[in-house]
Structures are given as C-alpha cells and as structure tokens.
Amino acid sequence: MTERKNISIVLDLLMIIVGTAISAVALNMLTRPSGLLAGGLTGISQFIHHFFPISVGLFYFILNIPLMILGYKYLGRKFSIYTILSIMLLSTFLSIIPVRLLWTDNILLAAIFGGTLNGIGCGIVLRRGGSQGGLDILSRIIAKYSNVSVGKANMAINASIVIASGFVFNSEIALYTIISMFISMKMYEVVLNNVNRVSVLIITNKGEDVNQEINQNLHRGTTMWHANGGYTHADKTVLLCVTVRGELPSLKKIVKSKDPQSFITVISTQSVIGRFHQVW
C-alpha cells in the first residue's frame, strides 16, 4: 500500500513538472512574444512588466503568496504543497525560457496554439491534485462551493484582463487574447472532464461515520440504504456517491480510515442530471 502511494506521488510530481513546463513554453514562446496577454495572474504580471522592467516570473511568484495561503485554508494540505511546487517551477521556467517565437510568427496561430498548450499544461497540473496558482486557486475555491467549473470560473475572471488589454494595448490584441483564452478554457474542459465523473458504491458496517466524513471533507452528498449480506446475512449500509475521478484517492482513504473492511466499487458515469458540483 505504501509502495503504491509512493509511486502515485512520484507520478504526480513528474506530471506537475511536465504540465508546468508545457505552460511556460506556451507563454514564453507563443503568447508573450506575439504581444498577447495570458489569463489570470500571469496576464496581470505581464501588465506590471509592461510598466516596470522586472521579471514576469518574479511578479507572478509575489502575487501568488496571498492566494497560496487562501488555498491552504480552503483546499487542503496536498493541494497547497503541489501548488507551491508548481508556482515555483512556473516562476523559474518563465525566468529562464527565452521569450521568442516558436514555430510561427503568425499572431492568430500563436493565439490558437498558445492557448491550447497553456490549457493542456494547466489541466494536467489540476488533474494531479494541484494548480499553477494564480486565479486557478480562486477558481477552484469557487468551483468547490458552487456549481461552476474551473474553466468557466477562470473565463469569467479573465474578462477584466481582456478589457484592460484593449485600453493599454489595442483592440486587435484584445480580440486575439479572447481567442487564446477561449481555447485555453476549452482545453481545460477536455483535459479535466474526459470520463471524469464516477459513481461510487460503498458497502460498509459504519455507514453514518463514512457518510459524515464524505460530507465534511469532500463536500459530496450520498444516498444511503440498508442491506443484508447475501452470504453472511449481516446488516450492511450501502452508500452511493457521485464524484470526479481526481477525488477517488481521497474518497477511498476516507472510507478505509473509518471501515477497513468496507467494499468499494467504482463505475464510470457519462453524465449527471441534477445537483452536482464539478470541483475541477
């Protein structure tokens, strides 16, 4: 069990490095040299850099400090550790990767592929349980406590950046920035929501305890009913919980901590009709 957990952590860290590197390449070799703005705090850092000749990576790290504290308070220890690592990596990559065009000097292609790669990079990090900081933290808090996905929350917040870019630069840059942000949001959705929802059936002797832990720690609802074991005829509680695949490790840990003898089965769920919070 410990070995499997260690392998999972190593995989998480490797994917966070890969996802962060992809985003940094997209920003420094497609988005920034084309004069476009990135979304979130990266875009704000670009604004500041436009007026003050200080590294975008350094500004990005400084602006993230209060949001890291907020993330630790509302989103937990694992998320905070992974996010701090990702922020440090992205700040470093943005400082060392040269700002020059890669593949194309066409602004439209740069907007399309810059947004695509950035969305993939951010989505990979979020999928592994962290984020690249900035408005991802704020958006994930919004998504956790409301029925709004991270991609849509980011898009709503980034609207102000687009408006500001129109005033500071020009309207054409703002329009290309909208294209880049829209594509980035769509890639978020593709990476995060691909067969992402699952239905979990839990058979346990401690239904009330398990239910309470799921409600409090994952903010997920459950449906409970009583059953009898077909072989033992012992009384059991069955819980049905619909969640996202990224939360499965946390859900399993909660259930097993309350009832090590519990039985868990996971079923891929194509869609959910009704009240369901998409926390990614």
Side-chain angles (χ1 to χ4, degrees):
M1 194 73 178
T2 303
E3 184 179 354
R4 185 183 298 177
K5 183 179 179 181
N6 290 337
I7 292 173
S8 177
I9 291 173
V10 170
L11 183 60
D12 286 345
L13 296 178
L14 288 174
M15 294 306 293
I16 285 172
I17 293 170
V18 170
T20 307
I22 290 172
S23 289
V25 168
L27 291 168
N28 274 15
M29 293 193 158
L30 288 167
T31 304
R32 290 180 62 194
S34 298
L36 303 177
L37 289 176
L41 288 192
T42 310
I44 295 172
S45 299
Q46 286 178 256
F47 265 115
I48 298 173
H49 177 73
H50 180 74
F51 297 104
F52 302 98
I54 302 178
S55 167
V56 171
L58 178 60
F59 269 129
Y60 183 74
F61 182 79
I62 293 171
L63 292 173
N64 267 292
I65 292 174
L67 289 174
M68 284 190 280
I69 297 170
L70 197 64
Y72 184 83
K73 181 178 179 181
Y74 289 100
L75 298 173
R77 184 169 174 268
K78 176 186 173 182
F79 174 82
S80 299
I81 292 172
Y82 283 3
T83 297
I84 291 169
L85 172 63
S86 183
I87 289 170
M88 292 174 65
L89 286 170
L90 186 58
S91 299
T92 302
F93 287 151
L94 288 175
S95 298
I96 64 176
I97 294 175
V99 181
R100 65 165 181 256
L101 283 169
L102 177 70
W103 301 321
T104 181
D105 59 359
N106 183 295
I107 190 171
L108 178 59
L109 290 177
I112 293 171
F113 287 98
T116 298
L117 290 177
N118 191 33
I120 290 172
C122 292
I124 288 172
V125 176
L126 282 166
R127 195 68 186 259
R128 302 312 301 186
S131 83
Q132 291 183 2
L135 298 182
D136 283 348
I137 297 174
L138 212 55
S139 297
R140 187 161 173 181
I141 292 172
I142 292 170
K144 185 171 183 177
Y145 294 99
S146 66
N147 198 24
V148 180
S149 70
V150 170
K152 290 176 182 177
N154 268 347
M155 197 65 180
I157 294 169
N158 285 332
S160 59
I161 296 176
V162 173
I163 294 170
S165 70
F167 285 105
V168 175
F169 301 103
N170 59 61
S171 57
E172 190 173 84
I173 290 294
L175 293 174
Y176 281 121
T177 297
I178 290 172
I179 293 172
S180 182
M181 287 182 177
F182 179 78
I183 291 172
S184 183
M185 180 197 73
K186 287 301 179 183
M187 290 310 301
Y188 254 51
E189 301 292 338
V190 170
V191 174
L192 298 180
N193 297 331
N194 183 29
V195 196
N196 198 35
R197 292 169 291 269
V198 292
S199 297
V200 183
L201 279 174
I202 304 162
I203 301 172
T204 175
N205 293 319
K206 300 181 179 179
E208 288 294 343
D209 292 340
V210 172
N211 174 63
Q212 187 174 2
E213 285 294 309
I214 292 173
N215 292 164
Q216 290 180 352
N217 293 320
L218 288 184
H219 301 278
R220 291 294 184 191
T222 65
T223 299
M224 302 171 57
W225 63 91
H226 298 290
N228 295 101
Y231 179 75
T232 64
H233 298 289
D235 290 335
K236 301 281 184 180
T237 301
V238 180
L239 293 90
L240 171 65
C241 179
V242 180
T243 184
V244 291
R245 194 171 295 277
E247 288 182 332
L248 275 180
S250 299
L251 180 61
K252 292 175 184 176
K253 184 177 179 181
I254 287 171
V255 175
K256 289 299 182 181
S257 68
K258 289 298 178 181
D259 183 7
Q261 305 303 316
S262 60
F263 179 83
I264 303 171
T265 181
V266 180
I267 307 164
S268 292
T269 302
Q270 200 64 35
S271 63
V272 179
I273 300 171
R275 184 176 174 82
F276 177 77
H277 285 179
Q278 180 73 30
V279 301
W280 298 94

